């Protein structure tokens, strides 16, 4: 390992995800093992532009492994979208003599990090922290498992009401551009149908499925709707179905930002710990513009541009499983 890395910075950006605190903890403690100073940037790229950096000691990351959200805060930055903003951010890092940055976030965060490195030459290592699980180059992103568990728990509770009142529930989960959360929630909760961006499910298909279920004397149903599917939001889909099947007692529940919060699961804590450690070692090994991820339980380095640009495919076997178990 190269030993020319003396000071690094870490920040969280974009939407928060359970496990971000565990990620920062792993970065700080791994760096301490190699006598590297770590500076936390408050509020993502906004804080980088304003020079809001503070040195993080081991004690600063004690007792945060189990906490949701991000103690470094996060914010979307319009200023960082401009060359002037990125230049100001670079000057802030140079003022603190930062040798490399670790960016914890998703697509938007990595798009900015890739451009920032190309313009300023400051090494950027990305750690995938997003509940959407939509980044290419890693089997899972930090926060995804916790979000699925949260959504499944919510659907389990909704099922009690659906069954008691013989109702049809449309449950909307996050997933503007990817259906991983919707698909895993559908399988994990035993929901009958799922709408997601990767599959053009039609209202005709859903109506046919609901009619078949009704003939089997199944008097309640659960439909998982990813917010970014091709038909519309849960309210819109429910209204379309109600026109076709007026005899069904339909209800809509939007789980919303509940999916982002809460204590990270054991799996997310483990993933955050491994990737936080891998990010520091990637900088020490001379990597400059990559995302660290997990591929078959092994650490993988993927160029940031590819992690963002390449589409991560839905597991077709899981989709087939969901359809089969929905009978």
């Amino acid at each position: 390992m190269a030993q020319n890395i003396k000071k690094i910075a870490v920040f969280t950006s974009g939407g928060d995800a359970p496990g971000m605190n565990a990620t920062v903890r792993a970065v700080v403690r791994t760096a301490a093992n190699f006598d590297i100073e770590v500076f936390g940037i408050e509020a993502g790229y906004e804080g980088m532009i304003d020079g809001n950096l503070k040195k993080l000691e081991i004690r600063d990351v004690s007792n945060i492994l189990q906490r949701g959200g991000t103690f470094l805060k996060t914010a979307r930055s319009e200023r960082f979208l401009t060359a002037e903003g990125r230049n100001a951010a670079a000057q802030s890092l140079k003022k603190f003599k930062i040798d490399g940055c670790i960016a914890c976030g998703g697509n938007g965060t990595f798009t900015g990090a890739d451009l920032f490195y190309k313009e300023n030459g400051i090494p950027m290592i990305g750690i995938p922290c997003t509940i959407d699980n939509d980044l290419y180059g890693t089997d899972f992103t930090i926060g995804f498992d916790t979000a699925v568990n949260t959504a499944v728990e919510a659907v389990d509770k909704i099922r009690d009401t659906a069954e008691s009142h013989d109702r049809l529930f449309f449950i909307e989960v996050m997933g503007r551009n990817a259906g991983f959360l919707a698909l895993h929630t559908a399988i994990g909760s035993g929901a009958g149908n799922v709408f997601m961006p990767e599959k053009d499910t039609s209202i005709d298909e859903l109506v046919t499925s609901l009619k078949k279920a009704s003939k089997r004397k199944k008097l309640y149903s659960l439909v998982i709707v990813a917010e970014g599917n091709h038909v519309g939001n849960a309210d819109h889909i429910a209204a379309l179905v109600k026109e076709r099947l007026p005899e069904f007692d339909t209800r809509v529940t939007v789980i919303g930002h509940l999916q982002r919060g809460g204590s990270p699961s054991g799996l997310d804590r483990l993933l955050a710990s491994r990737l936080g450690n891998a990010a520091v070692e990637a900088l020490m090994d001379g990597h400059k513009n990559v995302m660290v991820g997990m591929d078959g339980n092994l650490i993988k380095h993927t160029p940031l541009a590819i992690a963002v640009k390449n589409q991560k495919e839905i597991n077709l076997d899981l989709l087939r499983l969901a359809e089969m178990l929905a009978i």
Side-chain angles (χ1 to χ4, degrees):
M1 289 185 178
Q3 297 298 319
N4 59 340
I5 301 294
K6 299 299 181 182
K7 294 183 179 182
I8 64 175
V10 60
F11 64 96
T12 54
S13 178
D16 61 309
M20 279 183 162
N21 284 326
T23 304
V24 175
R25 172 182 180 271
V27 168
V28 172
R29 296 199 169 193
T30 298
N33 184 69
F34 294 107
D35 294 322
I36 297 173
E37 291 184 74
V38 180
F39 288 79
I41 304 174
E42 296 183 327
Y45 288 123
E46 278 291 284
M48 189 185 296
I49 293 172
D50 293 332
N52 292 333
L53 283 72
K54 63 178 181 180
K55 188 175 180 180
L56 296 177
E57 306 287 358
I58 290 179
R59 64 178 177 274
D60 295 317
V61 294
S62 296
N63 199 34
I64 66 169
L65 179 71
Q66 76 283 4
R67 286 169 51 189
T70 164
F71 82 101
L72 287 179
K73 308 298 182 183
T74 180
R76 303 189 188 280
S77 176
E78 294 294 329
R79 290 188 294 166
F80 197 79
L81 298 177
T82 68
E84 293 78 10
R86 293 189 294 275
N87 180 64
Q91 294 308 312
S92 293
L93 295 182
K94 290 175 182 177
K95 180 180 178 180
F96 282 85
K97 298 181 180 179
I98 299 300
D99 297 313
C101 266
I102 295 176
C104 308
N107 280 284
T109 301
F110 292 172
T111 298
D114 179 55
L115 182 58
F116 184 74
Y117 167 73
K118 291 174 180 176
E119 289 179 346
N120 298 284
I122 298 175
M124 301 290 284
I125 304 297
I127 300 180
C129 295
T130 168
I131 68 170
D132 292 331
N133 196 41
D134 59 346
L135 287 165
Y136 180 85
T138 186
D139 293 334
F140 296 103
T141 59
I142 296 164
F144 173 69
D145 184 67
T146 305
V148 170
N149 289 340
T150 298
V152 168
E153 182 179 357
V155 177
D156 285 347
K157 293 178 179 178
I158 291 169
R159 179 191 296 275
D160 293 341
T161 294
E163 186 174 7
S164 297
H165 294 272
D166 295 335
R167 286 173 175 164
L168 166 60
F169 266 88
F170 294 86
I171 304 162
E172 185 174 304
V173 300
M174 288 183 170
R176 190 173 304 153
N177 301 304
F180 295 96
L181 183 55
L183 179 57
H184 283 243
T185 298
I187 295 173
S189 65
N193 301 88
V194 58
F195 282 77
M196 56 190 191
E198 295 86 350
K199 185 176 185 296
D200 290 327
T201 304
S202 69
I203 296 298
D204 288 340
E205 289 178 90
L206 176 58
V207 168
T208 298
S209 175
L210 292 173
K211 285 181 177 179
K212 288 181 179 179
S214 180
K215 288 180 179 179
R216 298 196 308 271
K217 306 300 181 183
K218 185 177 180 181
L219 302 178
Y220 76 95
S221 290
L222 304 171
V223 180
I224 306 300
V225 179
E227 60 182 335
N229 77 88
H230 299 283
V231 179
N233 63 21
D235 282 307
H236 180 67
I237 293 174
L240 293 176
V241 171
K242 188 66 175 178
E243 290 178 1
R244 301 278 295 274
L245 299 172
E247 69 275 16
F248 277 71
D249 185 6
T250 61
R251 294 289 188 276
V252 174
T253 297
V254 179
I255 300 178
H257 285 79
L258 185 68
Q259 296 154 95
R260 289 195 182 281
S263 180
S265 67
L267 184 60
D268 273 330
R269 297 183 198 190
L270 176 61
L271 183 60
S273 298
R274 292 192 66 182
L275 295 186
N277 170 269
V280 175
E281 295 192 340
L283 280 174
M284 295 178 65
D285 285 339
H287 293 283
K288 300 180 183 300
N289 196 32
V290 300
M291 177 193 80
V292 291
M294 296 296 300
D295 182 10
N297 206 36
L298 297 175
I299 298 295
K300 178 180 180 179
H301 299 135
T302 302
L304 289 175
I306 292 178
V308 171
K309 182 179 179 181
N310 286 20
Q311 182 176 0
K312 184 175 180 179
E313 300 292 339
I314 285 284
N315 187 324
L316 295 180
D317 287 336
L318 285 183
L319 181 57
R320 187 173 66 90
L321 175 65
E323 293 171 345
M324 187 181 304
L325 297 183
I327 296 176

